[in-house]
Amino acid sequence: MSDALHRAAEAIRGARCAIALTGAGISVESGIPPFRGKGGLWLKYPPEEYASIDGYLRNPGKVWRFWLELAQTLGGCRPSPAHYALAELESAGRLEAVITQNVDRLHQEAGSNNVIEFHGNFSRLACLDCGATRPTDLEHLDERPPRCHVCSGLMKPGFVMFGEMIPTDALIEADRLAQVCDVVLVVGTSANVFPAASVPITAKRHRAFIIESNIEPTEFTESVTDAFLEGPAGEVLPRLVELV
Ligand code: APR
């Protein structure tokens, strides 16, 4: 892996515009379970029931309790060394942006400023009837699905569920970056979910160098990855940043 690590560091050093695409794997060492693979949430909780808008409308109580419990876990989690490594690359002027699929806001907590939240985040609730939003104030939420303070309609967590649209500004900015960047650092994603997974593919089509940090190979490893850094991101990324 040291050859891949050196090639990755060289690519970042020489990059005009490097970006990162991160997934749940970057937060595993912060104590947040991934969705797929070892310990994946979807092995126990089928995503069509727990992470789709149809599933939420079919059984708001059950789905709300699942996300409330996960949000309470998030409360105690801190950024991993991998989050800090990306923040350090940004402050050294070596990383333009982090495009994240995660809703845990650990990139911001680690000090990354330019974070594109491709799947939104859990910091607000949104009304499905009138569109009103309000902060997700965990202290004043309980097991009952939240009701709208304006129209008493059913509210949902502010992040994107399967069957919902990606926030337009995130979609446009991520696609723009994918076309102009010359390095993508892909960290902790199973490359299963589109359109987020199209970022490295678009970048590759524009001749970008693709670095992948994961504990195991993914769909990208054979097809788009130029340097595969095997191992936990919390160990690999700090070493990569040191070399850069
Ligand atoms: N370091 C690096 N990678 C890791 C680590 C680690 N310590 N632990 C796990 N991984 C890898 C796994 O091997 C897997 O490839 O992280 C990836 C996690 O994949 P998923 O759980 O599928 O997460 P993600 O790719 O972000 O899922 C995309 O799917 O369910 C939806 O909206 C949800 O944003 C999510 C999207």
Side-chain angles (χ1 to χ4, degrees):
M1 201 259 285
S2 71
D3 164 59
L5 200 63
H6 282 88
R7 283 187 296 112
E10 198 184 326
I12 293 177
R13 264 199 305 276
R16 175 182 34 77
C17 171
I19 63 172
L21 171 72
T22 66
I26 198 171
S27 299
V28 165
E29 289 153 276
S30 296
I32 303 172
F35 296 105
R36 300 171 185 83
K38 205 158 52 69
L41 282 170
W42 295 161
L43 299 173
K44 267 172 64 184
Y45 302 95
E48 57 282 0
E49 279 180 54
Y50 287 90
S52 76
I53 185 66
D54 294 342
Y56 183 58
L57 292 172
R58 264 197 307 277
N59 196 330
K62 178 182 83 168
V63 176
W64 170 254
R65 281 192 297 280
F66 169 78
W67 288 107
L68 186 64
E69 206 178 299
L70 199 60
Q72 282 153 350
T73 324
L74 289 191
C77 295
R78 302 277 68 79
S80 80
H83 293 102
Y84 287 113
L86 294 185
E88 199 180 327
L89 278 180
E90 182 192 59
S91 55
R94 300 278 190 188
L95 193 71
E96 181 69 26
V98 174
I99 301 166
T100 188
Q101 301 172 82
N102 303 337
V103 297
D104 55 33
R105 313 218 80 190
L106 291 178
H107 285 299
Q108 291 91 331
E109 194 175 325
S112 288
N113 295 305
N114 192 8
V115 180
I116 295 158
E117 295 183 312
F118 210 72
H119 292 157
N121 63 59
F122 201 172
S123 65
R124 297 187 74 79
L125 302 171
C127 177
L128 287 163
D129 291 343
C130 75
T133 68
R134 71 166 189 261
T136 307
D137 175 7
L138 287 180
E139 280 73 51
H140 299 98
L141 289 166
D142 59 26
E143 301 224 317
R144 289 162 304 164
R147 305 306 296 189
C148 179
H149 47 292
V150 175
C151 76
S152 327
L154 176 65
M155 296 190 95
K156 67 172 281 288
F159 52 74
V160 178
M161 291 183 166
F162 285 117
E164 288 190 300
M165 298 293 289
I166 302 295
T168 314
D169 50 345
L171 200 61
I172 291 170
E173 180 58 3
D175 190 52
R176 183 189 72 78
L177 286 166
Q179 296 193 43
V180 299
C181 74
D182 50 1
V183 172
V184 184
L185 177 50
V186 183
V187 186
T189 182
S190 59
N192 269 301
V193 174
F194 286 80
S198 59
V199 167
I201 296 166
T202 305
K204 185 77 181 181
R205 259 210 321 271
H206 288 75
R207 289 189 303 288
F209 186 92
I210 311 298
I211 303 164
E212 185 181 14
S213 159
N214 202 308
I215 53 170
E216 60 187 11
T218 68
E219 302 284 314
F220 285 154
T221 312
E222 287 310 312
S223 54
V224 292
T225 299
D226 296 301
F228 181 60
L229 311 181
E230 185 154 10
E235 290 167 24
V236 167
L237 293 197
R239 285 170 54 202
L240 174 64
V241 172
E242 219 175 289
L243 279 177
V244 171

